[in-house]
Amino acid sequence: MATQTLSLETIEDFLAQKRIAMVGISREPRNFSVMLFEELCRRGYDVFPVNPSTPNVLGRPCFARVQDIHPPVDAALLMTSPAVTDTVVADCAEAGIRRVWMYRAAGKGAVSPAAIAFCQEHGIQVVPGQCPFMFLPAAGTVHRLHGFVRKITGRYPHRHCA
């Protein structure tokens, strides 16, 4: 597997997409994934919830798989376990999705080394192990602090110079 350094350009490109699947969204209204879903919707994103065990999220129909969304989305934000991530990235490739974000704030999150390798082998841009809130303009204090801590510890993505 080729090592790839995550750049701010990759994150900005993902966030520039307006049709995003959120895979693994919870059916529990107070779950972090639902809060992130609401925030993305508030910011003008057209977010499609994906969870085969949930008929809808906040009144929006929930899809069983990313391939069921028509027309296809531009990107997929994965809120899954690493084992499920491995399957979902293959689904994304089948659906023609070229951008994947594997969410992580603490713990493993959705990050899977096998899924990262799959994405790299199939020309899918991947954001492994970041929280989107850190990169959204005017995010709350907690998210800005999280980003600041990652910057001082050297774990915040850098802009690549041309």
Side-chain angles (χ1 to χ4, degrees):
M1 168 176 89
T3 303
Q4 183 179 18
T5 303
L6 177 61
S7 70
L8 280 176
E9 290 87 354
T10 300
I11 289 168
E12 290 166 350
D13 180 62
F14 184 98
L15 292 174
Q17 309 311 305
K18 291 303 177 187
R19 290 176 46 83
I20 298 175
M22 183 177 278
V23 184
I25 190 166
S26 176
R27 64 181 142 237
E28 298 300 325
R30 295 182 189 260
N31 184 277
F32 179 82
S33 63
V34 176
M35 290 187 291
L36 180 55
F37 175 85
E38 286 180 299
E39 182 63 25
L40 291 172
C41 290
R42 263 195 301 279
R43 289 173 180 260
Y45 290 92
D46 197 7
V47 187
F48 297 83
V50 178
N51 183 332
S53 303
T54 303
N56 65 66
V57 172
L58 301 177
R60 289 192 183 203
C62 206
F63 295 86
R65 301 178 329 148
V66 294
Q67 297 96 313
D68 299 335
I69 305 169
H70 295 286
V73 294
D74 304 312
L77 173 57
L78 281 49
M79 307 290 289
T80 55
S81 68
V84 174
T85 296
D86 292 343
T87 301
V88 173
V89 293
D91 288 349
C92 289
E94 183 181 316
I97 297 169
R98 311 310 314 156
R99 295 164 189 89
V100 169
W101 189 309
M102 298 175 193
Y103 169 83
R104 175 173 54 200
K108 290 183 181 180
V111 178
S112 158
I116 293 169
F118 179 91
C119 288
Q120 291 172 344
E121 291 163 9
H122 290 86
I124 297 171
Q125 287 184 5
V126 62
V127 177
Q130 303 289 329
C131 176
F133 271 122
M134 288 191 311
F135 304 97
L136 293 173
T141 303
V142 170
H143 307 293
R144 287 195 314 270
L145 179 61
H146 184 200
F148 176 74
V149 169
R150 291 182 74 80
K151 284 177 183 176
I152 62 174
T153 60
R155 296 180 300 145
Y156 194 85
H158 298 283
R159 188 166 302 286
H160 288 171
C161 297

